[in-house]
Amino acid sequence: MKQAALANELTVVDSRLMKRVLYAFVALALLSAAISLGGKWFGHSIAMAGYTDDATIHQVVIGNNVIAVPANAIRFAQARRDGIASRLDLYLRYPQMDGYSEAARDDFNHTGAAKNIVFLSFEQRMMSRDMSGRFAPIYSALITKPGIAGPGGTTVYGFNEKSGYLNEVLVVAERPGKDPFVARCLSGPSADESLAPCERDIQVGDELSLTYRFPREFLGDWQTLDAAIATEAGRVLKTGH
């Protein structure tokens, strides 16, 4: 009887032990799977470095305007949502005018020698004139003349000491029947270190200002660049009435 009872007791102990071992193996398997999935997700997040290849369209409202753009063109993660905003920052590959993707990874990471990313910022208009309209009443009094010949038929002017525009130049090109094309560009070492040292703003939509920054190399084809920016703004922008 004692032997039978002992045998039954050992059987129960063995059964409990096997269950614990089984549970331990299951727990380890689940933990391993979680670590694997987490590692893949975290590794993907590191590889994306703040970018996203998500092409979901978001509708961002600024004033009386709706800007409909894919998430992969929106520069900052917190802005990749529908709703009201005071400003929207985008980045696009030029001349394709598309957002981040696996195929465009090297362009957005700036791993090649060429710079081809433009940065766009939409916000409510603060000035009555855009940069072209400000040339005659403002900029023309702040530059030193004569300027020097620049790329694409432009003229590059330095700013005078009282202008407040340190380490910048003004790039101007005449446009028949229109105000001139005008952009401000960094000069010297600052320009070499910047991905997009030139800046220009235009008026779009209903009381919106669009500022775009671009590599200085694009000045040689400023007409095409300016037209592409205006076309893209018209494509993504819907203005209420």
Side-chain angles (χ1 to χ4, degrees):
M1 292 292 292
K2 291 182 178 180
Q3 291 180 348
L6 180 59
N8 288 335
E9 186 176 346
L10 290 174
T11 299
V12 172
V13 171
D14 287 343
S15 177
R16 290 176 179 173
L17 180 61
M18 290 301 296
K19 286 181 179 179
R20 289 177 181 176
V21 171
L22 178 61
Y23 292 154
F25 275 117
V26 171
L28 286 173
L30 291 174
L31 179 61
S32 177
I35 291 173
S36 177
L37 290 174
K40 289 179 180 179
W41 178 86
F42 189 60
H44 180 67
S45 297
I46 292 175
M48 297 294 279
Y51 301 123
T52 180
D53 52 10
D54 179 12
T56 300
I57 299 295
H58 291 293
Q59 295 191 339
V60 181
V61 180
I62 303 179
N64 198 34
N65 305 272
V66 178
I67 305 170
V69 287
N72 65 345
I74 299 176
R75 188 176 177 190
F76 302 113
Q78 66 269 24
R80 294 169 188 151
R81 59 176 180 80
D82 297 329
I84 298 173
S86 60
R87 176 186 174 108
L88 181 63
D89 294 287
L90 310 179
Y91 46 13
L92 299 171
R93 183 174 56 155
Y94 180 80
Q96 295 87 349
M97 304 303 285
D98 56 5
Y100 179 87
S101 65
E102 183 66 22
R105 180 177 59 183
D106 289 345
D107 294 319
F108 279 84
N109 285 330
H110 315 290
T111 57
K115 299 175 182 177
N116 58 351
I117 302 298
V118 293
F119 301 86
L120 291 72
S121 297
F122 291 90
E123 56 190 332
Q124 289 188 310
R125 191 183 303 169
M126 301 296 291
M127 299 183 182
S128 60
R129 300 171 181 263
D130 61 13
M131 191 170 283
S132 289
R134 296 196 299 272
F135 177 72
I138 299 176
Y139 290 129
S140 62
L142 301 177
I143 56 178
T144 57
K145 300 177 181 178
I148 61 174
T154 62
T155 302
V156 180
Y157 297 95
F159 283 100
N160 61 47
E161 294 180 356
K162 297 180 180 180
S163 68
Y165 293 106
L166 298 177
N167 301 318
E168 291 189 40
V169 295
L170 194 71
V171 181
V172 181
E174 296 299 326
R175 298 187 296 182
K178 295 182 179 181
D179 288 331
F181 168 88
V182 179
R184 292 202 328 265
C185 297
L186 296 174
S187 60
S190 299
D192 296 333
E193 295 169 2
S194 175
L195 295 173
C198 293
E199 176 181 293
R200 169 171 166 77
D201 64 69
I202 59 175
Q203 294 180 349
V204 296
D206 185 356
E207 297 295 317
L208 279 188
S209 176
L210 169 56
T211 300
Y212 68 91
R213 295 188 295 114
F214 57 95
R216 186 161 181 156
E217 291 82 354
F218 292 176
L219 285 173
D221 197 20
W222 61 266
Q223 299 99 322
T224 303
L225 171 65
D226 205 48
I229 295 295
T231 298
E232 183 66 12
R235 188 183 70 83
V236 304
L237 187 60
K238 298 175 177 61
T239 302
H241 296 284

